[in-house]
Amino acid sequence: MLGAVDGRDSGIRGPHQSCYDPCMVEVLELAIERVRKLPADRQEFLASVLDEFAADSDAVYILSAEERALVEEGLADLDAGRIVPDAGMAAFWNRHGS
């Protein structure tokens, strides 16, 4: 659902509606705090991504051929039932942080 955070409807219905959503602001603030703890190069990368997204929020992103192939590969894995169990993902995140 567009504008949903943690299963709650934010009330945002279109790109031109003015809406103050305290839940979304909180989520954004928490994300920014996490980014501030990252190394400088990752902060710079994420800042450029956020800036690019905010600059043209109505734009449609066009996948590159490589990105499209990766998406199709992932969808094929899902269709074939090749997924990592929750326990495997938990072990990954315990090893690599998050």
Side-chain angles (χ1 to χ4, degrees):
M1 172 186 313
L2 181 64
V5 179
D6 296 330
R8 294 174 285 173
D9 185 357
S10 70
I12 298 173
R13 296 288 177 250
H16 304 295
Q17 280 186 309
S18 177
C19 177
Y20 178 78
D21 185 347
C23 182
M24 192 62 210
V25 171
E26 181 181 330
V27 170
L28 182 58
E29 293 294 335
L30 291 171
I32 290 171
E33 285 304 313
R34 289 180 66 194
V35 168
R36 285 186 174 126
K37 296 174 185 173
L38 296 173
D41 61 327
R42 292 186 69 190
Q43 287 186 37
E44 290 173 14
F45 171 74
L46 290 169
S48 68
V49 170
L50 184 58
D51 186 53
E52 184 175 323
F53 179 78
D56 196 0
S57 62
D58 290 336
V60 174
Y61 182 81
I62 306 297
L63 294 174
S64 69
E66 180 182 3
E67 291 167 329
R68 181 172 300 282
L70 290 169
V71 168
E72 289 172 354
E73 179 184 346
L75 292 173
D77 284 342
L78 284 173
D79 289 342
R82 293 186 297 265
I83 60 171
V84 177
D86 289 342
M89 287 306 303
F92 172 84
W93 289 118
N94 285 335
R95 281 192 310 273
H96 301 287
S98 177

